[in-house]
């Protein structure tokens, strides 16, 4: 029309320049196929050596837990057989140096009972990872659903859910869990002994964990809900479900994954603490926390008994945390591409 | 979506104009959208019981219409309710009061499903090209969403149509599978435009479509909007916070201040002879493209103080706290919106370039005197003379020669004053 806004430029030329600039920033082979944020995150994660190491350790731990019977079978041991011949009858500690480490017993044997520590560590990984993973899943499912409800619908739904989260976060959860798990019956819902305790631990740890996830998801939902692409979808006639599942949820996946990976090590520690305090898994079933607890009595006569489960817990938690940090950095949209 | 007529499923809406909608296209110049007494108050809630303690009167009584084929520019300072107005007429927000009529149909309180068929006719382009595209969707998904949501299958399939739209807005159709983060701001805004055009709308509301872009890219996007209007016969409502963008594209311009329209006029009338003091102030802030006038720095009007809060807007004329012409009546009585010249409506008791609406009220408010100190003398002089000229013109309507003569003298006098003032400043 009349007065041009700025120097009129030919449409094509600067446009082509713009495109060239963008294209130049990427590898030429990806000229047409776009790189999704998930792909980019994976490529970034691959470059993060520390996170990758953590991830590999996590995978190894999972393999150990899954293959526990095979692994112990290979070394010819099992977690519950007593080797009282290897115990010094006077002190109750294993004969031989370093807690009885030998070719047969890679990590030595337990004082008094003489059970093989390697086999118990391997089986202990099952309990740790099972409780760690499943309770994180319980927490994430509850937290995601309730967090989205609160953030998306707002109003009294939000007020109610937020108050519940505040209440749970202020709750002395460990004390409550100890009280609850210690009064558990020995059989329940067709489960027996150890299974009941593991099941209850998963539910209770998960239940007290969801507000952490819920808070994050609620906050994210609140902020995503105001993005213009949500308005754009509404201006095209989208209903609530479309917006929730097609527009919001894909953007919540990243924070949910990050929170899950960060929550697993915390839950592993909680399980260890409960077993340490004697309300978790009961002997003869193996658990790292419970091994640590019985090792207390032998801290100077058989220090290896304490060191080995301690190191197992340490490595596991560290590996999960390194991996979780890496995932978070890789998914962080503000990080460099 | 099952109640849609069969033929829409096979029509390509972008090629067969209007076929996808149930109503007939209005002829150019006919009223497409009509807004009456439109209000939006956002409640402010406090305390445990969420009691309402007040309201942000973001939009507080708008009357205007948009004619088919035209571009209506809406300008005003930040926070004056422009975006709220845009979201009300596209029915992304529920109005507090007033009515919105589209093609004669009252759409004020239609719900999501009632609005759905109309969504094809009214589309929106958003301000922020970074938040208006979902980062998890490919461009194909984003531009294809309108078809999916409206249950329309364009001729040749969605993919082909998306690629066509990409080339219409000047992007490479092969970039179908790319993600928004792989594009620059200007390209993203083009993607947003392609999405808005997908269903071949009649009315497009663009909320500051270029303000988030580099200056060098702004012109391209504005030109694109302009070209598309000519090709597709679109009607635009373009929102901007200053006059430089709307000046280029608008046929008519509405100036908003604190939730109200203070002046609504044809572009040329508005630029030649702004009547509302606020319009005049806004215009003086625009860089002047005319090199002959570029030196006239001293004509810039600085407004006194900040925009008052829309929670408790000033009484009477909302501009009276910052206006250099405000008198008692401005404080007590809200000026009505009057058509003082064909095609120029203004709400002011003492307009510029027009007959004084309250000539008996001459005592300036003390605030006005302070405000006046920020207004260059040249402007004041010019304004006094034009008002005088208009008064003469009306008084001596039979002797137009005199008035013309006076009017012709004015610019010269104003320039002289400006020059002398500048030289005084130099010393
Ligand atoms: N959802 C909301 N809830 C409460 N107040 C709101 C809401 N949306 C806007 N407002 C208020 O309404 C007023 C007008 O806002 P609006 O966004 O329409 O202004 P604008 O003219 O578009 O400004 P800008 O140029 O900054 O985009 C502002 O005071 C703003 O704070
Ligand atoms: S002159 Fe009075 S009515 Fe006109 S803008 Fe100023 S304050 Fe408002
Ligand atoms: Mg705005």
């Amino acid at each position: 029309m009349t007065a041009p806004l700025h120097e009129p430029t030919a449409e094509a030329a600067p446009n082509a320049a713009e495109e060239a600039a963008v294209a130049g920033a990427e590898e030429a082979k990806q000229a047409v196929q776009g790189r999704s944020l998930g792909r980019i995150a994976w490529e970034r994660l691959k470059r993060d050596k520390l996170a990758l190491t953590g991830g590999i350790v996590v995978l190894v731990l999972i393999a150990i837990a899954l293959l526990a019977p095979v692994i112990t079978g290979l070394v010819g041991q099992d977690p519950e057989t007593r080797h009282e011949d290897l115990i010094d009858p006077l002190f109750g500690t294993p004969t031989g140096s370093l807690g009885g480490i030998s070719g047969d017993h890679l990590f030595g044997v337990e004082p008094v009972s003489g059970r093989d520590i390697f086999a118990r560590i391997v089986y202990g990984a099952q309990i740790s990872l099972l409780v760690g993973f499943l309770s994180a899943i319980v927490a994430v499912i509850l937290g995601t659903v309730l967090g989205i409800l609160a953030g998306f619908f707002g109003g009294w739904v939000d007020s109610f859910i937020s108050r519940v989260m505040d209440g749970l976060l202020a709750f002395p959860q460990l004390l409550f869990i100890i009280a609850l798990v210690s009064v558990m019956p020995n059989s329940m819902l067709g489960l027996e002994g150890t299974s009941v305790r593991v099941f209850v631990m998963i539910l209770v740890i998960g239940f007290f964990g969801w507000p952490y996830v819920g808070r994050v998801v609620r906050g994210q939902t609140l902020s995503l809900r105001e993005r213009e692409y949500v308005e754009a979808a509404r201006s095209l006639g989208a209903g609530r479900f479309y917006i929730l599942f097609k527009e919001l949820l894909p953007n919540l996946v990243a924070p949910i994954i990050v929170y899950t990976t960060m929550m697993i090590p915390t839950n592993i520690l909680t399980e260890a603490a409960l077993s340490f305090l004697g309300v978790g898994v009961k002997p003869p079933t193996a658990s790292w926390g419970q091994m640590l607890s019985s090792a207390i009595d032998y801290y100077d006569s058989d220090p290896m008994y304490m060191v080995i489960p301690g190191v197992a817990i340490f490595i596991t938690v560290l590996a999960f945390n390194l991996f979780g940090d890496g995932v978070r950095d890789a998914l962080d949209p503000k990080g460099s591409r | 979506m099952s109640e849609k007529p069969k033929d829409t499923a096979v029509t390509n809406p972008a090629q067969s104009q209007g076929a996808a909608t149930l109503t007939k296209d209005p002829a150019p110049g006919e009223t497409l959208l009509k807004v009456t007494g439109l209000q939006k108050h956002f409640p402010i809630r406090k305390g445990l019981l969420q009691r309402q303690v007040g309201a942000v009167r973001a939009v507080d009584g708008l009357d205007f219409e948009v004619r088919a084929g035209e571009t209506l520019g809406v300008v005003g300072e930040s926070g004056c309710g422009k975006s709220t107005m845009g979201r009300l007429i596209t029915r992304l927000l529920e109005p507090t009061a007033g009515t919105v009529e589209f093609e004669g149909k009252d759409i004020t309180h239609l719900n999501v499903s009632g609005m759905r068929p109309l969504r094809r006719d009214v589309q929106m382009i958003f301000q922020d090209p970074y938040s208006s595209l979902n980062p998890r969707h490919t461009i194909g998904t984003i531009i294809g969403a309108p078809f999916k949501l409206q249950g329309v299958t364009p001729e040749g399939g969605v993919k082909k149509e998306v690629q066509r739209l990409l080339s219409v807005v000047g992007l490479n159709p092969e970039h179908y599978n790319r993600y928004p983060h792989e594009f620059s701001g200007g390209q993203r805004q083009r993607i947003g435009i392609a999405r808005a055009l997908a269903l071949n709308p009649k009315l497009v509301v663009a909320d500051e479509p270029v303000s988030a872009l580099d200056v060098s890219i702004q012109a391209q996007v504005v030109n694109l909007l302009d070209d598309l209007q000519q090709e597709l016969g679109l009607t635009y409502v373009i929102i901007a916070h200053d006059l430089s963008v709307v000046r280029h594209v608008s046929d008519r311009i509405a100036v908003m201040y604190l939730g109200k329209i203070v002046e609504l006029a044809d572009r040329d009338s508005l630029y030649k002879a702004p009547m509302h003091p606020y319009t005049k102030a806004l215009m003086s802030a625009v860089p002047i493209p005319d090199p002959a006038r570029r030196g006239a720095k001293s004509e810039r009007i600085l407004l006194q103080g900040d925009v008052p809060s829309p929670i408790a807007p000033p009484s009477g004329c909302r501009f009276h706290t910052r206006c250099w012409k405000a008198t008692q009546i401005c404080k007590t009585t809200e000026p009505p919106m009057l058509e003082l010249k064909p095609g120029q409506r203004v709400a002011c008791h003492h307009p510029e370039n027009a007959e004084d609406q309250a000539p008996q009220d001459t005592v300036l408010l003390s605030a006005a005197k302070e405000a006046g100190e920020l207004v260059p003398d040249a402007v004041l002089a010019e304004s006094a003379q034009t008002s005088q000229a208009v008064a003469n013109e009306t008084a001596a309507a039979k002797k137009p020669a005199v008035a013309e003569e006076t009017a012709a003298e004015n610019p010269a006098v104003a320039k002289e004053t400006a020059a002398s003032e500048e030289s005084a400043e130099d010393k």
Side-chain angles (χ1 to χ4, degrees):
Chain A
M1 296 183 181
T2 51
L5 180 57
H6 306 290
E7 285 306 297
T9 32
E11 267 293 303
N15 189 26
E18 232 182 282
E19 263 166 38
V22 171
E26 308 164 335
E27 295 93 280
K29 65 176 159 76
Q30 280 152 344
V32 175
Q33 192 61 43
R35 297 192 309 158
S36 71
L37 292 185
R39 266 264 314 275
I40 290 175
W42 169 234
E43 275 160 26
R44 265 196 257 165
L45 189 63
K46 274 198 299 194
R47 270 183 271 131
D48 185 345
K49 292 287 173 292
L50 220 51
L52 222 49
T53 314
I56 291 170
V57 173
V58 166
L59 284 180
V60 168
L61 285 166
I62 293 173
I64 288 177
L66 290 177
L67 300 174
V70 180
I71 293 169
T72 50
L74 279 178
V75 296
Q77 297 296 342
D78 83 275
E80 287 176 26
T81 309
R82 294 166 161 258
H83 301 276
E84 276 156 19
D85 50 319
L86 296 174
I87 302 298
D88 181 338
L90 189 58
F91 300 105
T93 51
T95 50
S97 60
L98 294 174
I101 289 183
S102 66
D104 280 346
H105 302 285
L106 295 176
F107 290 171
V109 294
E110 279 187 351
V112 184
S113 66
R115 290 180 292 215
D116 182 62
I117 293 179
F118 178 75
R120 291 184 73 72
I121 289 288
V122 168
Y123 271 88
Q126 276 188 334
I127 300 285
S128 284
L129 295 190
L130 190 73
V131 175
F133 269 98
L134 291 186
S135 59
I137 287 174
V138 170
V140 164
I141 290 177
L142 280 175
T144 304
V145 170
L146 293 166
I148 287 181
L149 281 180
F152 191 62
F153 291 101
W156 67 265
V157 180
D158 183 23
S159 306
F160 178 74
I161 294 176
S162 297
R163 293 297 86 75
V164 171
M165 292 198 285
D166 290 344
L168 282 176
L169 290 173
F171 208 81
Q173 359 173 331
L174 200 60
L175 295 183
F176 181 82
I177 299 177
I178 291 170
L180 188 76
V181 178
S182 48
V183 301
M184 266 348 273
N186 243 344
S187 65
M188 184 180 117
L189 301 169
L191 298 171
E192 289 282 341
T194 305
S195 311
V196 173
R197 295 183 161 271
V198 169
F199 181 71
V200 171
M201 271 200 287
I202 288 170
L203 286 190
V204 175
I205 297 175
F207 181 73
F208 282 103
W210 77 260
Y212 295 95
V213 184
R215 264 198 321 194
V216 173
V217 171
R218 171 182 173 270
Q220 282 286 320
T221 310
L222 275 179
S223 109
L224 291 173
R225 198 178 64 169
E226 302 300 324
R227 298 282 154 90
E228 282 181 343
Y229 56 76
V230 172
E231 289 226 294
R234 288 213 293 136
S235 79
L236 293 165
R240 281 182 165 180
F241 281 92
Y242 182 92
I243 289 168
L244 196 52
F245 288 101
K246 300 281 170 167
E247 303 286 346
L248 297 187
L249 217 49
N251 287 286
L252 287 170
V253 169
I256 290 172
I257 289 178
V258 170
Y259 248 79
T260 315
T261 51
M262 305 287 235
M263 187 157 241
I264 290 169
T266 317
N267 291 355
I268 288 177
L269 282 177
T270 308
E271 185 276 331
L274 288 176
S275 297
F276 182 88
L277 293 170
V279 295
V281 178
K282 286 266 158 65
T285 312
S287 146
W288 297 345
Q290 162 226 316
M291 287 169 82
L292 259 186
S293 143
S294 41
I296 296 272
D297 293 340
Y298 304 94
Y299 76 93
D300 54 356
S301 54
D302 183 7
M304 280 315 278
Y305 184 34
M306 189 175 209
V307 168
I308 288 169
V311 167
I313 294 174
F314 175 75
I315 289 179
T316 309
V317 171
L318 184 67
F320 270 104
N321 277 334
L322 287 178
F323 181 65
D325 278 349
V327 170
R328 191 196 50 207
D329 291 346
L331 287 172
D332 181 6
K334 285 181 201 79
S336 67
R337 282 175 190 134
Chain B
M1 281 184 207
S2 52
E3 79 273 30
K4 297 250 162 54
K6 268 262 145 46
D7 64 335
T8 59
V10 289
T11 355
N12 179 345
Q15 277 159 9
S16 54
Q17 197 137 326
T21 46
L22 308 173
T23 42
K24 188 165 74 52
D25 263 2
E30 255 177 57
T31 300
L32 186 64
L33 180 87
K34 190 168 188 310
V35 166
T36 329
L38 191 63
Q39 290 187 354
K40 179 71 193 181
H41 295 181
F42 294 104
I44 305 167
R45 298 184 192 280
K46 277 232 175 77
L48 210 59
L49 297 172
Q50 296 288 292
R51 219 157 28 86
Q52 183 174 341
V53 293
V56 181
R57 298 160 75 162
V59 163
D60 208 14
L62 300 184
D63 297 276
F64 62 93
E65 69 290 314
V66 184
R67 302 174 194 143
E70 77 165 349
T71 298
L72 175 70
V74 178
V75 291
E77 279 165 291
S78 181
C80 72
K82 307 179 298 291
S83 299
T84 307
M85 182 279 295
R87 283 163 167 73
L88 285 171
I89 59 178
T90 49
R91 280 304 325 282
L92 290 169
L93 282 176
E94 179 83 13
T96 309
T99 57
V100 183
E101 281 168 59
F102 183 76
E103 296 188 311
K105 181 177 179 327
D106 187 343
I107 63 166
T108 321
H109 297 294
L110 284 185
N111 58 14
V112 174
S113 53
M115 265 313 284
R116 193 167 289 133
L118 277 153
R119 294 284 179 206
R120 296 190 207 174
D121 293 339
V122 185
Q123 273 301 305
M124 189 144 182
I125 296 170
F126 294 89
Q127 172 172 1
D128 180 359
Y130 289 87
S131 110
S132 65
L133 307 178
N134 193 329
R136 303 274 160 190
H137 291 172
T138 62
I139 302 315
T141 313
I142 290 171
I143 304 178
F147 302 113
K148 191 171 163 198
L149 281 165
Q150 289 287 338
V152 176
T153 312
E155 221 174 277
V158 173
K159 180 170 178 180
K160 212 176 139 208
E161 181 62 12
V162 168
Q163 292 186 325
R164 193 189 67 80
L165 285 163
L166 279 172
S167 57
V168 164
V169 297
L171 292 173
N172 183 347
E174 296 305 311
H175 289 172
Y176 182 87
N177 274 325
R178 288 203 171 182
Y179 286 85
H181 63 87
E182 299 175 273
F183 294 87
S184 67
Q187 291 175 316
R188 282 163 172 246
Q189 199 57 307
R190 286 167 193 264
I191 296 166
I193 293 172
R195 169 176 59 194
L197 296 180
L199 298 164
N200 195 31
K202 292 173 186 165
L203 177 67
V204 174
V205 178
D207 187 358
E208 311 211 15
V210 297
S211 63
L213 304 178
D214 272 7
V215 173
S216 58
I217 297 164
Q218 287 188 350
Q220 293 171 29
V221 172
V222 168
N223 288 339
L224 173 67
L225 288 173
D226 214 0
D227 295 345
L228 289 170
Q229 180 171 44
Q230 269 151 34
E231 275 165 46
L232 305 171
L234 297 170
T235 306
Y236 285 141
V237 172
I238 295 189
I239 297 170
H241 58 255
D242 65 39
L243 280 156
S244 63
V245 171
V246 293
R247 168 173 205 157
H248 178 55
V249 290
S250 305
D251 300 308
R252 290 191 306 141
I253 293 173
V255 179
M256 279 184 75
Y257 185 77
L258 268 186
K260 281 190 176 292
I261 292 179
V262 295
E263 183 161 5
L264 176 59
D266 298 336
R267 179 193 44 187
D268 294 335
S269 311
L270 193 89
Y271 277 90
K272 227 183 284 154
M275 287 187 182
H276 200 280
Y278 180 65
T279 314
K280 198 158 171 154
L282 267 191
M283 278 178 52
S284 78
V286 177
I288 302 157
D290 178 1
R293 288 186 60 202
R294 200 159 271 165
K297 243 186 273 139
S298 63
E299 286 184 28
R300 172 148 191 176
I301 301 170
L302 293 174
L303 285 179
Q304 180 204 19
D306 288 328
V307 187
S309 156
I311 297 168
S315 62
C317 171
R318 293 183 174 195
F319 191 50
H320 85 248
T321 54
R322 302 168 85 194
C323 180
W324 62 96
K325 299 181 89 179
T327 59
Q328 199 55 41
I329 190 174
C330 303
K331 204 169 168 180
T332 54
T333 315
E334 189 170 335
M337 189 88 172
L338 295 175
E339 184 149 11
L340 295 185
K341 214 181 87 184
Q344 188 158 14
R345 277 188 276 162
V346 62
C348 175
H349 293 301
H350 311 295
E352 307 262 310
N353 299 310
E355 189 186 354
D356 201 324
Q357 300 299 300
Q360 72 287 355
D361 200 30
T362 50
V363 184
L364 286 183
L365 292 179
S366 53
K369 286 187 195 127
E370 283 169 36
E373 278 160 24
L374 292 170
V375 179
D377 289 346
V379 175
L380 289 180
E382 187 188 51
S383 130
Q385 269 161 10
T386 45
S387 305
Q388 190 57 45
V390 178
N392 289 347
E393 200 175 338
T394 20
K398 282 166 209 154
K399 286 188 276 176
V402 181
E404 253 171 45
E405 210 175 277
T406 333
E409 273 171 16
N410 286 330
V413 178
K415 272 214 185 92
E416 250 175 56
T417 335
S420 64
E421 195 194 42
E422 253 171 28
S423 58
E425 265 171 20
D426 286 348
K427 280 166 199 168

